Amino acid sequence: MSIKSVVIVGAGHGGVQVAISLRQEGFTGRIVLLNDEEGLPYQRPPLSKAYLLGKIGESAMLFRPATFYAEQRVELIHDHAHAIDRTNRRVLLTSGGVLDYDHLVLATGAHNRPLNIPGAELAGVYGVKTKADADALSPLVKAAKHVVVIGAGFIGLEFAAVAAAGGAAVEVLELGDRPMARAVSPQMSDLFRSAHESWGVHFNFRCGVVALEGEAGQVTSVTTTDGRRLVADLVVYGIGVIPNVQLALEAGLDVDNGIRVNSALLTSDPAISALGDVAAFPCVQNGERYTRLESVQNAVDQGKSIVARLMGKAAPYVALPWFWTDQGALKLQIAGLSIGADNYVVLGDAGAQQMSVLCFRGEELIAVESCNRPGDHIYARKILARPPALTPVVAAAQGFDLKTWEAENRR
Ligand SMILES: Cc1cc2nc3c(=O)[nH]c(=O)nc-3n(C[C@H](O)[C@H](O)[C@H](O)COP(=O)(O)OP(=O)(O)OC[C@H]3O[C@@H](n4cnc5c(N)ncnc54)[C@H](O)[C@@H]3O)c2cc1C
């Protein structure tokens, strides 16, 4: 059956990319893009960085201006999909509306893991997920004197950097023993720890939170697992996300830490694809294990891959994962997945905050983390995309340079 109508649930990075790519690739049928947030679809990364700092405004975060949707005949509907009728290929909307589809794309993203502790409902306690969160936080972060950040992952540390730049005293609570431990090497954690400390951020490792206390409904302090009470007029948590699988689960699709898709990003129903933060796919770089990646690259590339299939150019999804985070003066870019790395080669100078860490699993280069060395990131992506890979012995040689090696070994 030829596809005449595509319904996309969720207008984040993945969903919008599908709509854009469909038209770019010449799809002439009906495209419906469901957005259950207010306003035009926007990018999330600036919410904890430039937008929160007031360095960019709302229009700079939009994927496309309003005219794009009209001109490209993308029906942007503000509504929430509450059920899928797979037998009749229909999506049921909260408003009571019904959308027929030939192909359905689930791009529902993820929500913040909630803080399930007493006091989490107090005013002054935030997760950062939506533009509405950032709009509420922005004036508070400028006024806050004592900020407690729960979780030393990307989002928590991006926020810590913003709060410290605004002059607040910042305490970071982290159950692990180093920053961003699940995502980066010990060497890169050390660089970021030193930088944050130089900005006035104070880390509390192997330390969790028991409760938040307040006065007149406003948070005033945080009690830690080691029995201390930290003064706080603003608390921000970044303790991971939970994929938005409810719709898929109730429709009877395979779900296990995300909507399960095959290497073509199809769910257990061949008329339904899923992508982005909500999708668990057999990831080549993770030994074909079902993996959920939370990154712009993943959502965008998966969107393009689904459209290629819908337009008759099917190919397995094999894109190299990459990610970035901006914290104060540090830009960290990661190419590849460092899961299982056991050997590291460091290039550059941690003291000068310009350093790359080459992460090997045995002899195999699996990821490169670059702080303020954008050239290394670009060459790392090229090298990781086409083995035979660089060995640790070659990388550790005096004067080794990724750009030169890439040029000399280009095939
Ligand atoms: C503060 C912040 C900073 C980030 N920084 C970075 C960064 O620096 N680099 C990076 O690579 N990534 C970053 N990310 C992650 C990146 O934004 C996500 O990986 C990406 O947005 C995932 O895209 P998605 O399309 O899967 O989901 P999303 O962009 O989350 O979009 C999903 C949309 O679907 C909607 N939705 C859900 N259910 C329904 C329904 N039933 N009906 C209708 N709509 C529905 C949601 O409300 C949401 O608008 C950041 C994320 C956040 C929150």
Side-chain angles (χ1 to χ4, degrees), residues 308-319:
R309 167 169 43 77
L310 294 177
M311 298 305 288
K313 289 175 259 173
Y317 180 73
V318 291

Side-chain angles (χ1 to χ4, degrees), residues 76-163:
L76 183 60
I77 297 182
H78 283 89
D79 214 324
H80 181 84
H82 83 87
I84 304 168
D85 172 357
R86 286 169 52 196
T87 312
N88 297 301
R89 295 201 177 167
R90 299 189 313 182
V91 176
L92 313 183
L93 307 180
T94 303
S95 63
V98 174
L99 293 169
D100 293 320
Y101 64 83
D102 294 328
H103 197 81
L104 177 64
V105 178
L106 298 178
T108 50
H111 60 277
N112 284 335
R113 185 177 298 283
L115 256 190
N116 285 325
I117 53 168
E121 71 295 340
L122 288 164
V125 181
Y126 287 89
V128 197
K129 188 70 187 173
T130 63
K131 181 176 164 294
D133 294 332
D135 286 340
L137 257 175
S138 194
L140 300 179
V141 75
K142 290 185 187 96
K145 301 261 181 298
H146 296 279
V147 172
V148 172
V149 176
I150 302 173
F154 291 120
I155 304 277
L157 291 187
E158 287 173 3
F159 181 77
V162 170

Side-chain angles (χ1 to χ4, degrees), residues 70-300:
E71 284 165 9
Q72 294 296 315
R73 292 183 299 112
V74 173
E75 296 172 44
L76 183 60
I77 297 182
H78 283 89
D79 214 324
H80 181 84
H82 83 87
I84 304 168
D85 172 357
R86 286 169 52 196
T87 312
N88 297 301
R89 295 201 177 167
R90 299 189 313 182
V91 176
L92 313 183
L93 307 180
T94 303
S95 63
V98 174
L99 293 169
D100 293 320
Y101 64 83
D102 294 328
H103 197 81
L104 177 64
V105 178
L106 298 178
T108 50
H111 60 277
N112 284 335
R113 185 177 298 283
L115 256 190
N116 285 325
I117 53 168
E121 71 295 340
L122 288 164
V125 181
Y126 287 89
V128 197
K129 188 70 187 173
T130 63
K131 181 176 164 294
D133 294 332
D135 286 340
L137 257 175
S138 194
L140 300 179
V141 75
K142 290 185 187 96
K145 301 261 181 298
H146 296 279
V147 172
V148 172
V149 176
I150 302 173
F154 291 120
I155 304 277
L157 291 187
E158 287 173 3
F159 181 77
V162 170
V170 183
E171 296 281 348
V172 176
L173 308 182
E174 165 59 46
L175 288 173
D177 57 5
R178 60 185 177 91
M180 302 181 288
R182 280 183 303 133
V184 304
S185 62
Q187 293 88 335
M188 196 55 82
S189 285
D190 284 349
L191 189 158
F192 274 75
R193 176 181 180 163
S194 301
H196 275 272
E197 286 175 344
S198 75
W199 304 328
V201 173
H202 182 251
F203 286 101
N204 303 264
F205 293 111
R206 297 181 203 85
C207 182
V209 53
V210 177
L212 309 178
E213 299 82 21
E215 281 171 26
Q218 164 69 39
V219 71
T220 52
S221 68
V222 175
T223 299
T224 62
T225 45
D226 53 12
R228 288 173 299 145
R229 195 174 255 212
L230 303 173
V231 177
D233 44 20
L234 183 61
V235 173
V236 172
Y237 60 93
I239 53 172
V241 299
I242 298 171
N244 292 325
V245 295
Q246 199 60 25
L247 195 57
L249 201 61
E250 286 170 9
L253 298 176
D254 287 352
V255 169
D256 184 5
N257 179 33
I259 304 171
R260 281 223 170 182
V261 293
N262 64 16
S263 63
L265 307 174
L266 272 175
T267 67
S268 46
D269 179 335
I272 306 178
S273 303
L275 76 151
D277 284 14
V278 77
F281 69 101
C283 177
V284 176
Q285 292 81 7
N286 191 20
E288 303 278 345
R289 279 181 281 275
Y290 282 94
T291 308
R292 240 179 14 83
L293 296 178
E294 294 154 19
S295 79
V296 166
Q297 168 276 328
N298 181 60
V300 168

Side-chain angles (χ1 to χ4, degrees), residues 9-50:
V9 183
H13 269 275
V16 171
Q17 187 62 49
V18 170
I20 293 171
S21 292
L22 277 170
R23 286 292 181 245
Q24 281 175 345
E25 296 302 319
F27 180 73
T28 54
R30 184 179 187 202
I31 303 174
V32 180
L33 182 59
L34 272 186
N35 184 12
D36 71 355
E37 291 189 57
E38 297 214 337
L40 290 171
Y42 62 90
Q43 309 177 39
R44 288 180 205 285
L47 297 178
S48 49
K49 314 176 183 74

